[in-house]
Amino acid sequence: MNQDASYFFCGIGGSGMLPLALIVQSRGGRIEGSDRALDQGRTPEKFDWLRAHGVTLHPQDGSGVTRSDQIVVATGAVEDTVPDIGAARRVGAAIKTRPKLLSELFNAAEVSVGVAGTSGKSTITGMIAWILHQAGRAPTVMNGAVMKNFADADHPFASALVGDPALFVAEVDESDGSIARYDPTVAVVSNISLDHKSMEELRDLFGGFVDRARTAVLNLDNPETAALAQTLASGKAITFGLGEEAADLSAHDLEPLPAGMKFRLIAGRTEFDVVLHVPGAHNVANALAAIGAVQALGVPVSEAVRALEAFSGIRRRMEVVGTAGDVTVIDDFAHNPDKIAATLKTLHAFDGRLLILFQPHGFGPLKLMKDEFIQGFAGLLRLDDVLLMPEPVYYGGTTDRSVGSEDIASGVRAAGRNAEALADRAACGERILGLVRPGDRIVVMGARDDTLSDFARDLLNRLDQSAGR
């Protein structure tokens, strides 16, 4: 990257843009940006924080892009009709996609760890970041979510960690095909399943990603990643699995705890008793992936285990917002069938009805995975659980809206479970508050919308007010 350049981030408040902007700023880049959420008055505290940290913000109307020496950074989702992009073309400013800029920084590092997979990327990235930090390795980390271990009053949006440019850890996305840009030293693949692309496309993308790495860390519990492991030369893969004795790292005797997991780790000829402070068997698998990644970088397993026992999690990953009147409100990022299954299985390890608000993150994924969503909810909801769905997130643009939330809800009802599609999120909230009873757990579930966390906190406040009457 050009360290003295002026960068304009279109959508700077996004979960993938904000941390990248902070990393570029740490290397001398001058940062400006715009965001629809800023124009619409959403999450004002985030934009106040950016201004306080030297970022110049503009309306997303093209008025901030005025010079040919600006580099305009856009996500893959930004269309040419966005005013900032039109302005960039008019003034002759360079336009660079977010994946291209990130991959340039990533590939320039002497040692790089790319974390890929349909599910678990943010948590595994956060775990690797914490282990390396505790080991004194000072990594630069690009995550798609806030890492709670690094968040404090001065860094409330700690989805990036600014460290040594020579050691770069990043969450890598396959949904837009940009995984093909990354040449990792260590390639971590948690799992491969249907999400945004066909399985054939995914196999090609993940296969190339693993082939380009010096070491691959692969999950033997997932058939697709296990098949990848079979294609690699001896010694190139570090494998992991739950109860999988053939794996290099395996977890046994899993025991759910109210706010975590306990298990026995077998690493070669050595065993460790491990306690995690994040819940669910999927987080045990995530921990194994992180241990494998840092092991490839020379961090002893014993040191990785000690660090993980102090890992406090990722924001919006089954995050308990609070409890009021014996009702717990949980904020969760789950948005595809695998993530939803992991959340429901984890929560069902303990008693209590689930009232689930699931806000789909787009019409496209809803159409692509319609059957998987229906089968997933129908198979994992208990008889007294209730699923409530507003329409998918839609901020404009061209997209096929032929499949909506009622298509999912009706399919779940046909399978004998409780599901409703309502006009909007507010209506779902009113319905939840009308249904709730002591002992219930309310789960606010969805991605790509920071206001879901505000919605979860508002539900808790309203429950608290009701309980105090």
Side-chain angles (χ1 to χ4, degrees):
M1 61 167 276
N2 184 346
Q3 292 185 332
D4 298 321
S6 177
Y7 290 81
F8 187 100
F9 284 78
C10 185
I12 194 168
S15 60
M17 285 295 212
L18 190 152
L20 182 57
L22 296 179
I23 291 171
V24 171
Q25 185 186 52
S26 74
R27 299 187 184 186
R30 297 185 300 279
I31 306 300
E32 298 177 79
S34 67
D35 201 291
R36 276 186 296 206
L38 172 66
D39 297 346
Q40 295 165 2
R42 292 184 281 126
T43 61
E45 67 284 352
K46 177 187 293 185
F47 298 107
D48 290 342
W49 185 87
L50 282 168
R51 288 190 191 96
H53 285 76
V55 176
T56 302
L57 298 175
H58 302 271
Q60 199 168 85
D61 59 5
S63 61
V65 182
T66 59
R67 308 183 310 277
S68 61
D69 65 343
Q70 289 175 293
I71 299 170
V72 176
V73 184
T75 68
V78 170
E79 300 174 355
D80 286 350
T81 53
V82 171
D84 291 334
I85 303 302
R89 298 199 191 285
R90 285 194 299 274
V91 302
I95 299 171
K96 185 172 288 193
T97 66
R98 173 194 168 274
K100 188 173 190 303
L101 177 57
L102 175 57
S103 63
E104 287 172 357
L105 296 170
F106 182 91
N107 292 337
E110 185 179 321
V111 176
S112 58
V113 181
V115 181
T118 310
S119 304
K121 292 188 291 291
S122 296
T123 299
I124 295 169
T125 302
M127 287 176 166
I128 293 169
W130 181 241
I131 296 167
L132 292 175
H133 174 78
Q134 291 293 90
R137 299 286 289 273
T140 291
V141 180
M142 168 72 198
N143 206 336
V146 173
M147 299 174 283
K148 292 166 73 172
N149 285 89
F150 300 105
D152 56 30
D154 293 328
H155 304 90
F157 307 105
S159 48
L161 190 61
V162 174
D164 185 352
L167 175 55
F168 204 114
V169 181
E171 181 178 331
V172 173
D173 193 7
E174 81 288 342
S175 65
D176 58 2
S178 63
I179 189 174
R181 293 182 174 274
Y182 297 84
D183 301 322
T185 308
V186 179
V188 181
V189 184
S190 59
N191 44 57
I192 304 172
S193 61
L194 189 66
D195 194 351
H196 294 268
K197 293 186 177 294
S198 70
M199 287 307 302
E200 290 74 17
E201 291 175 289
L202 291 172
R203 289 180 187 121
D204 286 343
L205 288 168
F206 283 107
F209 179 65
V210 164
D211 285 342
R212 294 190 299 276
R214 184 179 71 197
T215 305
V217 181
L218 300 171
N219 180 8
L220 293 189
D221 292 329
N222 178 263
E224 294 290 339
T225 49
L228 270 183
Q230 295 297 317
T231 68
L232 300 180
S234 176
K236 182 170 179 176
I238 295 175
T239 58
F240 65 91
L242 304 183
E244 180 56 69
E245 293 183 0
D248 298 307
L249 299 164
S250 60
H252 305 264
D253 304 328
L254 276 64
E255 180 184 339
L257 304 174
M261 290 293 291
K262 187 176 182 180
F263 66 97
R264 181 167 53 91
L265 167 65
I266 299 179
R269 298 180 181 178
T270 310
E271 296 189 17
F272 303 87
D273 291 320
V274 185
V275 176
L276 297 178
H277 294 287
V278 287
H282 64 290
N283 274 321
V284 175
N286 291 339
L288 296 182
I291 292 168
V294 300
Q295 187 181 25
L297 300 180
V299 177
V301 173
S302 58
E303 200 169 329
V305 166
R306 280 198 305 274
L308 282 176
E309 291 188 337
F311 176 72
S312 55
I314 301 294
R315 196 158 293 164
R316 294 211 69 232
R317 290 347 184 241
M318 273 189 286
E319 184 175 17
V320 174
V321 181
T323 301
D326 198 28
V327 175
T328 299
V329 178
I330 297 163
D331 189 16
D332 191 56
F333 186 75
H335 60 279
N336 65 33
D338 277 1
K339 290 183 173 72
I340 291 166
T343 294
L344 296 182
K345 288 175 183 176
T346 299
L347 293 174
H348 279 148
F350 297 92
D351 293 335
R353 181 176 69 154
L354 301 181
L355 302 180
I356 302 161
L357 178 135
F358 171 51
Q359 177 179 282
H361 67 290
F363 284 94
L366 205 59
K367 182 177 181 180
L368 177 67
M369 296 179 281
K370 174 186 172 183
D371 293 341
E372 288 78 9
F373 278 123
I374 292 171
Q375 291 163 11
F377 280 118
L380 290 168
L381 291 175
R382 290 179 176 168
L383 285 172
D384 59 348
D385 291 340
V386 182
L387 170 66
L388 297 143
M389 293 178 60
E391 283 301 298
V393 175
Y394 179 66
Y395 295 128
T398 56
T399 189
D400 180 353
R401 294 193 281 168
S402 60
V403 174
S405 291
E406 175 56 28
D407 295 287
I408 308 303
S410 62
V412 175
R413 288 196 302 272
R417 295 296 185 266
N418 302 310
E420 303 174 24
L422 301 177
D424 53 31
R425 196 166 68 190
C428 291
E430 293 300 327
R431 180 70 172 136
I432 286 171
L433 292 172
L435 289 169
V436 72
R437 61 184 185 230
D440 284 348
R441 289 162 297 167
I442 298 171
V443 188
V444 176
M445 189 181 282
R448 298 184 184 175
D449 184 352
D450 290 344
T451 64
L452 282 166
S453 295
D454 299 332
F455 178 79
R457 285 191 293 270
D458 181 63
L459 283 178
L460 179 67
N461 290 337
R462 294 175 68 181
L463 287 167
D464 205 26
Q465 291 167 7
S466 299
R469 287 174 187 166

